[in-house]
Each structure stands twice: as structure tokens, then as C-alpha cells.
């Protein structure tokens, strides 16, 4: 059971942190809004496009996984797992339904998890170690007990999903291939929930990214790119929680009683309630801040447009002056502390990312040749072959890139990196998007060629394949 908490207990601390962030946001909003106006007036030339065509954004209804599972939450430690029906769609949320029947009827899910920042394990020992690490502050001096982090047995296959500040869940499967199918979909959900919110290029997105970087640097953190996982509200809430947790631990450390399992349960319940309140407060504050900046920008729009030439000239003049002041010192630091390590860093990165992408290409080529070899130029057969290519598994290629984490320990120590998780997510997401774009490009060629004779259609699809693999 969570300790009794009210928003007023830490609302002042959250508000203080938000005010520190909001100063940077207002400043950067003005800068990016100016760039937005300048881009409207003098649009830059579009870069040369890729040969691949990107598929339009999906509507989120396509199902990645659905099936019966045994499921338990963090607050049910030691209890028997319940039978549930899990659904993973391309909105990249984890839906837990009471049963397949309630899902088919269109009933609302029993539980919806948004797995941004999530960490997954298939080993109970690794899951328990991660759990105890997050609760280490309230476990000092507590003896081990016989309870486990989640129920399991030798004849089942488990997936443990740990979410930041919201506890963990356990999914149990009877078959290993069923577990692997679910795990593949879950990892896709985590990747997309982590990175999709940052694909936007609006001036508001840019203002937030710059502001959060400056806000974190003021705290001595220079790895802000690694923390940008999830929505803007989630990123800011997790940043604020780092400070709130220190205060919370000092307040409650002496009040948490019982064995290790009970202490973990009490602490997680308290942290979850706290995070929910922090997220709610920051969501409302951030939306109010955005609206304030929009109104301020709108009020100054006419003045900016009428003086844009002078503003940009002053901007360029100031930029040249700043560059002249710092260029020599920056080049010295770069030549001494960065350039000597660039080749070794690139070698370490490409050692795993390169083979992963090449493996993805080989997998697609093999599957494509296999699928097309039996079509004989028949329209319906080619359509089925293209549909089958959408579900090509890249799990083996993803694992090649995931090995990067262990191989970069020396680089991490040398440059003070805490994690390469986001880099791995980016690489795997790029592989997924390359595959999808390749298949979609083939589909576009096929749609424009359905009236051709079988021999002509096969010839055109062969030429399309060569274009895809350029």
C-alpha cells in the first residue's frame, strides 16, 4: 500500500523544477519561431530524395501480436498469474483485455501500458536484479527473503517488462516461439514509443529539444539525447522525478518496514503514485506554457516579418563574431580530445550496425527471391508475395545490433556515456523502416504494372528489385 501523499507535499518542488525548464523553453521558442518564419519566407531547397518510397503513416489498427497469456502486475508479487488476452497494435501500446471475447466485442482494455523507456528481460534473475537496483535506497541492511520478483516455473517462458516509475509486469507463455513472437512485438512497441515523438520537425519540437538539453546541462548532464525517450511530458516528468525521488527517499526511508518483498511493494506503490501526480502536473503546466508561447509569437509575428531582413542580418553578424571568439579554442579541443578517437568509435559502431543492416538486406533479398520465384507473373500471386514480405522477421539482425551495448564498454568509459540504448533503438528502427520502405516501393511498382503481360510484369518487378537494393 502506498504511503499517503498529497500533491501539495511536492508540488512546490515540481513547480520549481518546471520554472527552471520554462525559462529555457520560452527563450528557445522565440529562436525556433524566428527560424520558422524565415523558412516560410525563404524556403530551403529540398534535398535529393531517396530511391525508396516511404509508406504513409499507418492508422495504428494493424496487429503485431494477439494471444492468450498469463499476466501479473508488480503489486501482485507471489500471487498466481491470471489468464488474460494481450494485444499489440501499431499504435505501439500494450493492451491487456479480460479475454479474447471482450476484445472481439470491442470492449475497452482492462489495462493499457505505454512502454516508453521500458526495459525487458526473459530471465527472472535479471529482472529481480534490475528491480532491486531501482529500490536499493530502501533495502539497505534488509536480509534476503524467499520471495521472487514474479511467479514463474521451469516449464514456462517469461517476459518481464519494467517501466520507469510505474512498476513492472510479467507475461508467461507455454511455448518459446509464442514468447519470442510477443517479445518481438513488445520491443517494436518500445522502440516506436521511445523515438516516434521525436520525428516531428516543427519549431515547437525543436524548441523543446533545445530547452531540455540546456535544462539538463545546467544540472551537469550532457547526455540529454540519451534521455529523450517517450513524449515531451514523459521526458520532463522522468527528469523531475530524479530530484523528487531523492527527497522522497529521505522522507520515507525510516518509514518503510517489513521484509524485502514488502518494502519493494511499498516503495513501488509510492513511486507510482508520485510519478502519476508529477506527470499530471507537468502535462498541464507544459500545455499552458506552449499556449503562452504561441500567443506571444502570434502577437509578434507581424513585427518579425516586417523586420526579418534586419533581424537575420544581425543574427548572421552575431554568429560570425561568436564563431571568431570560440573557433580557435574549439578546434584545439576537437583535435586533441575528439579527432584521435573518431576512427575507433566509428569502427566499434559499424562493427555491429553495419552487419545488422547488411543482414537485413540479405534477409529481404532471400525472402523476395523465394516469394517471387513461384508467381509466374500472375497478378494475384505477386500480390500475395508482396503481402508476405511485410512480415519478414528481422529479430536476428536486431540482436546483432543489440550486442553493441556490451562491445562499447571501453567507449562508454572513455567518454562517460551511461548507455547506448537510444543508439541501438535508432539503428533497429532504421532497419525496420528500410525494410518497410523497400516493400512499399515494390508495391508501388506493382500497382502501376498490373495490366502488363505476365512476362512483362516479371521483368518490371525484377528491375524494381534492383532499384530497391541500390
Amino acid at each position: 500500500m502506498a504511503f499517503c501523499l498529497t500533491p501539495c507535499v511536492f508540488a512546490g518542488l515540481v513547480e520549481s523544477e518546471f520554472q527552471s525548464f520554462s525559462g529555457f523553453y520560452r527563450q528557445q521558442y522565440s529562436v525556433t519561431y524566428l527560424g520558422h518564419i524565415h523558412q516560410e519566407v525563404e524556403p530551403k531547397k529540398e534535398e535529393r530524395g531517396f530511391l525508396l518510397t516511404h509508406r504513409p503513416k499507418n492508422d495504428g489498427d494493424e496487429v503485431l501480436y494477439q494471444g492468450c497469456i498469463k499476466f501479473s502486475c508488480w503489486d501482485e508479487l507471489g500471487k498466481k498469474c491470471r489468464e488474460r488476452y494481450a494485444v499489440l497494435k501499431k499504435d505501439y501500446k500494450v493492451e491487456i483485455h479480460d479475454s479474447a471475447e471482450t476484445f472481439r466485442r470491442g470492449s475497452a482494455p482492462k489495462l493499457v501500458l505505454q512502454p516508453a523507456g521500458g526495459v525487458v528481460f526473459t530471465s527472472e534473475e535479471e529482472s529481480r536484479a534490475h528491480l532491486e537496483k531501482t529500490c536499493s535506497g530502501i533495502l539497505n541492511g534488509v536480509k534476503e527473503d524467499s520471495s521472487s520478483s514474479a511467479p514463474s516455473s521451469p516449464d514456462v517462458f517469461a517476459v518481464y517488462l519494467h517501466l520507469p516509475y510505474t512498476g513492472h509486469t510479467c507475461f508467461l507463455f507455454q511455448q518459446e516461439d509464442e514468447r519470442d513472437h510477443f517479445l518481438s512485438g513488445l520491443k517494436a512497441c518500445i522502440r516506436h514509443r521511445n523515438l516516434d515523438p521525436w520525428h516531428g520537425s516543427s519549431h515547437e519540437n525543436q524548441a523543446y529539444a533545445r530547452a531540455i538539453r540546456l535544462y539538463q546541462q545546467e544540472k551537469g548532464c550532457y547526455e540529454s539525447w540519451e534521455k529523450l525517450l517517450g513524449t515531451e511530458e514523459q521526458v520532463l516528468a522522468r527528469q523531475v522525478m530524479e530530484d523528487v525521488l531523492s527527497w522522497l527517499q529521505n522522507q520515507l526511508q525510516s518509514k518503510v518496514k517489513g521484509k524485502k518483498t514488502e518494502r519493494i511493494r511499498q516503495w513501488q506503490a509510492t513511486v507510482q503514485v508520485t510519478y502519476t501526480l508529477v506527470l499530471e502536473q507537468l502535462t498541464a503546466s507544459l500545455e499552458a506554457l506552449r499556449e503562452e508561447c504561441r500567443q506571444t509569437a502570434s502577437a509578434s509575428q507581424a513585427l518579425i516579418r516586417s523586420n526579418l531582413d534586419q533581424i537575420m542580418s544581425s543574427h548572421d553578424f552575431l554568429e560570425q563574431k561568436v564563431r571568431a571568439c570560440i573557433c580557435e579554442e574549439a578546434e584545439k579541443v576537437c583535435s586533441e580530445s575528439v579527432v584521435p578517437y573518431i576512427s575507433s568509435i566509428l569502427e566499434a559502431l559499424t562493427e555491429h550496425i553495419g552487419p545488422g543492416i547488411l543482414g537485413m538486406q540479405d534477409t529481404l533479398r532471400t525472402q523476395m527471391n523465394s516469394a517471387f520465384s513461384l508467381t509466374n507473373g500472375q497478378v494475384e500471386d505477386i500480390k500475395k508475395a508482396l503481402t508476405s514480405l511485410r512480415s519478414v522477421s528481422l529479430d536476428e539482425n536486431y540482436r546483432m545490433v543489440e550486442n553493441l551495448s556490451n562491445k562499447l564498454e571501453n567507449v562508454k568509459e572513455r567518454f562517460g556515456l551511461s548507455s547506448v540504448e537510444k543508439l541501438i533503438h535508432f539503428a533497429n528502427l532504421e532497419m525496420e523502416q528500410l525494410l518497410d520502405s523497400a516493400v512499399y516501393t515494390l508495391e508501388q511498382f506493382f500497382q502501376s504494372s498490373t495490366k502488363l503481360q505476365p512476362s512483362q510484369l516479371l521483368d518490371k518487378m525484377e528491375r524494381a528489385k534492383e532499384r530497391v537494393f541500390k
Side-chain angles (χ1 to χ4, degrees), residues 163-167 237-239 241-242 245 268 271-273 275:
L163 298 177
Y165 307 119
T166 56
R238 289 198 292 269
Q239 179 67 49
M241 279 295 290
E242 293 181 9
L245 281 187
Q268 284 202 301
V271 168
Q272 184 185 51
V273 171
Y275 177 72

Side-chain angles (χ1 to χ4, degrees), residues 4 65 72 97 117 121 144 152 163 165 218 222 225 235 264 269 279 292 302 307-308 343 345 400 453 459 464 468:
C4 181
Y65 170 90
S72 69
H97 295 261
F121 302 97
E144 184 68 64
S152 66
L163 298 177
Y165 307 119
E218 188 178 52
Y222 292 87
W225 65 276
V235 170
I264 289 176
L279 185 59
E292 173 199 321
N307 294 279
L308 187 59
S343 59
I345 293 173
M400 293 176 68
Q453 294 297 318
D459 181 61
V468 163

Side-chain angles (χ1 to χ4, degrees), residues 265-428:
R265 183 184 287 112
Q266 292 180 42
W267 178 248
Q268 284 202 301
T270 303
V271 168
Q272 184 185 51
V273 171
T274 304
Y275 177 72
T276 300
L277 293 171
V278 168
L279 185 59
E280 288 176 354
Q281 182 176 341
L282 289 175
T283 298
S285 297
L286 191 55
E287 182 53 39
L289 178 61
R290 288 194 195 101
E291 186 56 34
E292 173 199 321
C293 290
R294 288 168 189 154
Q295 292 181 6
T296 301
S298 179
S300 60
Q301 181 179 170
L303 183 62
I304 292 174
R305 290 182 182 277
S306 62
N307 294 279
L308 187 59
D309 288 343
Q310 185 177 348
I311 292 172
M312 296 312 300
S313 296
S314 299
H315 177 276
D316 293 341
F317 176 78
L318 181 60
E319 182 179 345
Q320 292 173 10
K321 287 291 185 181
V322 172
R323 284 181 179 274
C325 290
I326 67 173
C327 190
E328 183 177 348
E329 184 64 24
E331 288 179 348
K332 179 181 178 182
V333 171
C334 184
S335 63
E336 294 177 354
S337 304
V338 178
V339 173
Y341 305 107
I342 288 293
S343 59
S344 60
I345 293 173
L346 291 176
E347 182 180 352
L349 293 175
T350 56
E351 181 182 356
H352 294 279
I353 294 178
I357 293 178
L358 291 175
M360 179 271 293
Q361 291 178 317
D362 290 339
T363 299
L364 177 59
R365 188 185 295 275
T366 300
Q367 294 291 331
M368 195 180 293
N369 290 337
S370 175
F372 285 160
S373 64
L374 304 176
T375 62
N376 294 319
Q378 299 303 311
V379 170
E380 287 302 317
D381 291 339
I382 292 179
K383 187 183 296 185
K384 291 178 182 178
L386 288 171
T387 300
S388 70
L389 293 176
R390 289 193 184 188
S391 57
V392 171
S393 173
L394 296 179
D395 290 343
E396 184 177 343
N397 309 116
Y398 292 153
R399 284 192 289 271
M400 293 176 68
V401 177
E402 288 166 4
N403 291 332
L404 185 68
S405 182
N406 296 327
K407 298 295 183 179
L408 285 184
E409 287 301 323
N410 292 336
V411 177
K412 287 162 65 178
E413 291 175 6
R414 184 186 304 161
F415 291 96
L417 296 176
S418 61
S419 170
V420 292
E421 177 188 6
K422 190 171 184 180
L423 177 62
I424 291 172
H425 284 319
F426 263 124
N428 285 349

